[in-house]
Amino acid sequence: MTESVFEILPRNARSAAEIELLSNLSFLIDEFVNFGTHIFKHDLESAKGGDENLPIQMMFRHIMEVGDSVSLLVKSSSIDPCKLLLRGMLESCLGLEYILEQDTHNRAMGYMAWHSHRKLKIYKKLNATEQASKDFVQRLNADKILSGSFSIPAVSDLEDQIKNINSLLTSPAYKNAEAEYMKIAAKENNPPWFRLFGGPQKIEQLANRLNRQAFYEILYRRWSGSTHGTDVIDGKIFPPSEEGKGNVSIVQIRYAKDAQEIVQYALSFLLIAYTVMVNKRLSDLKPDLTKWYMQVQKPYLEIMTTKNMVVVK
């Protein structure tokens, strides 16, 4: 097996103190996620209605899954990649809060109609008789790797899947949401799902509407470069000493410096999701949420308020 270059990726050289601290941070995220699974199970067992439950339940599940992934990465000191995950976690958190804020049925069904149309667009690219499919093949064949060798794979039940979605969209349950989607889509190209039924046009406006501006400014502005691959320099280079001696140093991979901040955001999003779900949808779980929070309050507040828990030399 190939050994990593130690100065670039010191896989097995972390101090015992760093390993213990990151393990404790990871353990607390695990505790938060574990409690969330009980909320999720209760909602699955008690929810009434139809497809309007799906966006709520699956956004909640996504928030937990991302939190669990962040826990694994933090424990291994793989901190920077967590920033990519946290942006997606924030989007689901904002979406969950927005749906449950008010007009829940319309907002949830608006999401389902939007999701169904996204699937239809994909299926059209797989249907050789559609112009969208021909344009899709042309674009992929221009790729320097595929180099003219791509062809649409045969999907045996494609027509049935398209028929099922169209049937769903014309059903009584989807009637209002479908009409709203078609109205918005006629004016705006690729509107976000939360645009339907008088919603905001952009994720920034959604964050403002929910008074989550701070999260947006940090995760969407400050960390946008991490997501789009443009921030490959800031925070990853050390200048020479003040005396001008030595060379510029590049930060090692698996650098733990931002671990505490990452955990703060992950725990915050999980706690927001739990509070929203219980207050808006599962009021009978309020005593359980309060009891659990009292058990984790001390380590949670310690992480949220202690300065510079993670010190990397």
Side-chain angles (χ1 to χ4, degrees):
M1 294 290 292
T2 304
E3 293 287 335
S4 66
V5 176
F6 179 81
E7 293 80 5
I8 297 175
L9 178 55
R11 290 187 183 277
N12 302 309
R14 290 185 291 149
S15 69
E18 179 182 315
I19 291 173
E20 181 180 8
L21 176 57
L22 294 182
S23 294
N24 289 338
L25 294 176
S26 171
F27 179 81
L28 186 57
I29 299 176
D30 289 346
E31 169 59 30
F32 270 58
V33 174
N34 289 348
F35 182 75
T37 63
H38 293 274
I39 296 177
F40 187 53
K41 181 175 184 290
H42 185 70
D43 191 80
L44 290 174
E45 293 174 346
S46 62
K48 295 178 175 60
D51 288 1
E52 71 274 11
N53 291 299
L54 282 174
I56 298 168
Q57 292 169 339
M58 298 314 290
M59 283 182 188
F60 187 81
R61 180 193 177 280
H62 181 69
I63 292 166
M64 288 193 301
E65 185 170 31
V66 175
D68 184 56
S69 299
V70 169
S71 171
L72 293 172
L73 290 172
V74 166
K75 189 173 184 178
S76 298
S77 193
S78 186
I79 305 304
D80 252 24
C82 293
K83 297 173 183 177
L84 284 70
L85 294 173
L86 286 176
R87 279 171 58 100
M89 196 177 187
L90 172 61
E91 284 196 35
S92 291
C93 204
L94 292 175
L96 180 68
E97 189 171 13
Y98 178 68
I99 288 178
L100 292 176
E101 178 195 38
Q102 61 186 36
D103 198 21
T104 296
H105 185 273
N106 277 336
R107 292 177 180 182
M109 291 306 297
Y111 180 96
M112 292 304 296
W114 171 87
H115 175 70
S116 297
H117 278 281
R118 283 190 68 193
K119 291 173 69 175
L120 279 177
K121 289 178 181 179
I122 294 173
Y123 291 160
K124 284 184 177 181
K125 290 181 178 180
L126 298 177
N127 187 345
T129 64
E130 293 277 355
Q131 184 60 44
S133 175
K134 297 172 184 176
D135 295 340
F136 179 58
V137 171
Q138 185 177 13
R139 287 186 63 198
L140 291 187
N141 279 330
D143 183 89
K144 61 185 178 182
I145 294 179
L146 295 177
S147 187
S149 63
F150 179 81
S151 61
I152 295 291
V155 182
S156 59
D157 60 344
L158 183 61
E159 290 187 7
D160 289 337
Q161 292 188 49
I162 294 174
K163 186 182 297 184
N164 288 339
I165 293 177
N166 284 324
S167 176
L168 188 71
L169 290 172
T170 57
S171 67
Y174 279 72
K175 181 180 178 181
N176 290 340
E178 171 65 357
E180 176 69 10
Y181 176 87
M182 297 304 292
K183 181 180 75 173
I184 299 298
K187 306 175 193 175
E188 303 173 20
N189 187 35
N190 294 321
W193 68 267
F194 48 78
R195 179 70 183 91
L196 277 63
F197 295 105
Q201 293 181 314
K202 298 179 180 179
I203 189 73
E204 179 180 7
Q205 295 170 352
L206 177 61
N208 291 341
R209 179 165 180 157
L210 297 169
N211 293 321
R212 301 294 184 187
Q213 298 92 330
F215 287 140
Y216 176 84
E217 290 297 328
I218 292 170
L219 296 183
Y220 263 76
R221 294 198 189 280
R222 183 178 143 208
W223 287 353
S224 64
S226 298
T227 301
H228 300 298
T230 56
D231 184 11
V232 295
I233 296 177
D234 289 348
K236 301 174 181 65
I237 291 180
F238 290 136
S241 64
E242 293 182 3
E243 296 80 14
K245 297 180 180 179
N247 299 316
V248 170
S249 300
I250 298 176
V251 170
Q252 295 173 324
I253 296 173
R254 298 202 183 184
Y255 188 57
K257 178 176 71 70
D258 293 333
Q260 182 178 0
E261 186 178 13
I262 292 294
V263 174
Q264 288 172 340
Y265 286 119
L267 296 179
S268 294
F269 296 155
L270 289 166
L271 192 55
I272 287 170
Y274 299 170
T275 303
V276 168
M277 282 287 283
V278 169
N279 286 343
K280 296 288 188 176
R281 191 168 165 91
L282 302 167
S283 59
D284 57 317
L285 287 185
K286 284 184 180 180
D288 299 89
L289 177 61
T290 300
K291 180 180 178 181
W292 169 79
Y293 178 74
M294 295 305 296
Q295 294 172 349
V296 300
Q297 183 182 42
K298 183 178 179 180
Y300 170 69
L301 292 179
E302 182 180 3
I303 288 173
M304 300 302 290
T305 60
T306 304
K307 293 184 178 180
N308 301 323
M309 289 183 69
V310 181
V311 178
V312 181
K313 297 181 180 180

